Amino acid sequence: MAAGVSTPVRRLLRHEGVPQAARRAVWTVAAGCPGFYLFRYVTGDSVMALYAIFGALPLAVFCRVPGPAPQRTRTLLAALPVGWVLVTAGTLLAVSPWAAAAGMFAVGFAVSFCGFGGPRLTGLAMAFQLYYVLPCFPPYEPGTLGSRLAGLTTGILLAVLAERFLWPEPDPVPYRAVLARATAAVADYTSATAYHLEAGGGALPEREAADRALAAARVSRAPVTERPASPSAHDRALNHTRAAVRHVRDQLDRLADCPGPLPADPDAVTLLRHTELSLRSVAGELRTGTAGTHPDPLPAALAAFDAVRAAGLRGTATERLRQDAVARGAAEGARLAGEAARIALGHGPPAGHGPPAGDTGGSARPGTDVFAYATAPAYRLWWQRLRVHLTPHSVHFQNALRLAAALACARLVVGVLDLSHGFWVLLATLSLMRTSAADTRAALGPAFAGTVAGAAVAALMLYAVGDRPLVYAVAMPFVILIGFTLGPPLGPGWTQAAYTLAFVLVFSQLATADWHLSEVRILDVLVGGAIGAVAGLLAWPRGGRGELGRDMADYLAECAVACRAVTALLGDDRFRRERSQGDPLRPARRAMYLAEASFAQYLTERMHCRRPEQHWEAALATGRAVVHGAELLLMTHQDGLREPLPPGPAAALTGLAGQVAQEVLRAADSLRSGPPSEPRTTVSRYPAEESGPLRRATDRQPGISDAHVLLIVDTEAWLTGVAHDAVRTRAAPRRTDVPATRRADPPGSWPAAGPGAAADGLRHRPPPVRPRHGGGRPGPGTGRA
């Protein structure tokens, strides 16, 4: 019998979430109970006792703070003055239900909307909400504010001490370490690709390893607390590093798939060797967290390669020109990764980047300085991110507005119905609301069942024990320890029952015990859950999924505009002068932030497919190919080209950009319209020997210089790669049970523009790119819903 009983217990304790839940249960008891007992039974101040336990409980139970132990301690201590402000505001606004509801709306929106700033603010959001909720109910007693603040201070300080010294949480694996593994895997792939080009073929198992490592380095795969999601220069540099490493991988894929019929260029192979060494250096720096002191030899290798490439332009086959351009793109991506990684590790931007003296956050070269964030003031970076999400199309804005309206409505309902424990109503609304109506509905059933079970147990205990506070004082730590620890294996119903029983035990020690308290708890959960469900049903009920299609399509539509704008900026001197004060990639970056936020929320919602549908990943890859590839082109060529392209090659390159833009717009339209009704097309072809811009460049028409040829080659390689990714986005399966197949291009061909695209940019006039309206967002002509 004993063995039969111990087996289920051992299985529960082996659950992966039990150690973390047990740690937080211990913190709750150690931080909440001493202050509560001290003020309730020694000093006799019930107000201080209540605020002591509710000052510690949110930090110990709900908050997930990122970083190593010292950093977490500083973050938790920073919550103390914010808690003082919120408790003071709640105490003063409790003068009337309308004032309290207005304050609840403002606090609810502000605290929730701060989630755009990353996990550090998101981790404290629940605590900040509760610090206002608790004091905003009657009785209106501003004279007790001193006791409330003293109790809150005690609870927060005890929570900080428990988190730091009592069963401390191990330091998490930093995101830079995950990124280091991905960078090292891409370095292996670079080495294998160089050998592949030298040997003329062969298998590349390193390719799959690099894909797996980069997939693991996606921000959506990282623990929530370790995601580089804030607007800070450190997090932006980490994201920049990941994007650059992914760009290297994409260029290596093109080299591996399409080596061409000619033997590999020895200079390109040598450049790939230098690229590999640079990536290994970046991986080592990220792994150790310390930037190297030796200069990177890759810039010198790039300069040498450019000199050799420029000297041998005449008579070089178009396949070789494109191969060299792609190899150079991989090397530029590695150089960008190294510079961004050093910024993430605390170094300033590389020489020649950042704002000039006397400028605050501007760029010395508007549109081309991708490292301007490294020297921009922190407030400017936060303001820029705030402006991006200050729109009804942002999921952060939607979540904040939905939650604020629900909490304000709940506060008004509590005042109208004169509910005795209104705090529980708002706590139910706050804890049960999800980002979509379906998820909220799914959470209500277990929550209500758990509340009924916990209230039933509490009613029996109150009826049997009566008004004996010491009995409840002895039982409370055991209920918290057992109930909170077994929550992960036993599910949300058990957790809700444990919360109900623990709250009843707390309030039974502050007032005369009555079994009717259990009825109040059930009623409050019903009211709070119903308000949250109605709010979720009326305000953006589809959550992240509802915005994802539109945001992704808008992202690609802006990328289509960027393809034409960047090409014109590079090849037309007049257009370059007109746009000298603007950034042609700014609208695309703004749309990228919104799309990435929607996708991140979509992954957290339960009511989507088991795994993310592959066309969303493909759409993000297409957009990144546009944005990050354009950044490298602008950095490389905008300052080096002094004369505009001759009319013929310029028109050919503009025509190609228009065709690629149309391909990207088709991908955007496919995301808006849902799964394709027609059979999926294969990846399009654009053989190098038929490329209009390349042929016009190699024909050496009058007025074409070596710099012109190199510009055409690099721009054409970027555009054709974008077109390849755009067609893959249209062909990607909408269901995860359909495997995504990647067709390798036949030898001698290169992935590029869409089906039926003319070989020469002048042979057929490309359809016009649809105009933008309303602050740069796509207009009705783009098919936007």
Side-chain angles (χ1 to χ4, degrees), residues 427-443:
L427 179 62
T429 303
L430 189 61
S431 60
L432 297 181
M433 277 196 71
R434 301 293 185 268
T435 56
S436 69
D439 282 3
T440 302
R441 184 174 62 249

Side-chain angles (χ1 to χ4, degrees), residues 116 382-391 586 590:
F116 78 87
W382 282 83
W383 171 244
Q384 290 171 351
R385 184 67 61 87
L386 172 65
R387 287 195 306 172
V388 167
H389 288 286
L390 202 59
T391 168
R586 182 180 292 115
R590 180 181 183 278

Side-chain angles (χ1 to χ4, degrees), residues 18-33 60-61 166-167 477-486:
V18 165
Q20 178 67 11
R23 177 183 288 111
R24 293 193 170 271
V26 170
W27 291 349
T28 304
V29 171
C33 292
V61 177
L166 182 61
W167 197 0
F478 295 99
V479 169
I480 293 175
L481 283 174
I482 297 174
F484 291 8
T485 298
L486 297 182

Side-chain angles (χ1 to χ4, degrees), residues 628-661:
H628 301 301
E631 287 177 349
L632 291 174
L633 269 177
L634 291 171
M635 289 174 63
T636 304
H637 288 288
Q638 188 178 18
D639 286 348
L641 190 61
R642 293 292 180 261
E643 298 294 333
L645 285 173
L653 201 58
T654 301
L656 176 61
Q659 292 171 357
V660 173

Side-chain angles (χ1 to χ4, degrees), residues 422-478:
F423 168 78
W424 288 355
V425 176
L426 270 75
L427 179 62
T429 303
L430 189 61
S431 60
L432 297 181
M433 277 196 71
R434 301 293 185 268
T435 56
S436 69
D439 282 3
T440 302
R441 184 174 62 249
L444 288 178
F448 180 64
T451 300
V452 171
V457 173
L460 291 175
M461 182 179 61
L462 292 172
Y463 183 79
V465 176
D467 188 15
R468 297 177 182 174
L470 290 179
V471 176
Y472 307 130
V474 172
M476 186 170 67
F478 295 99

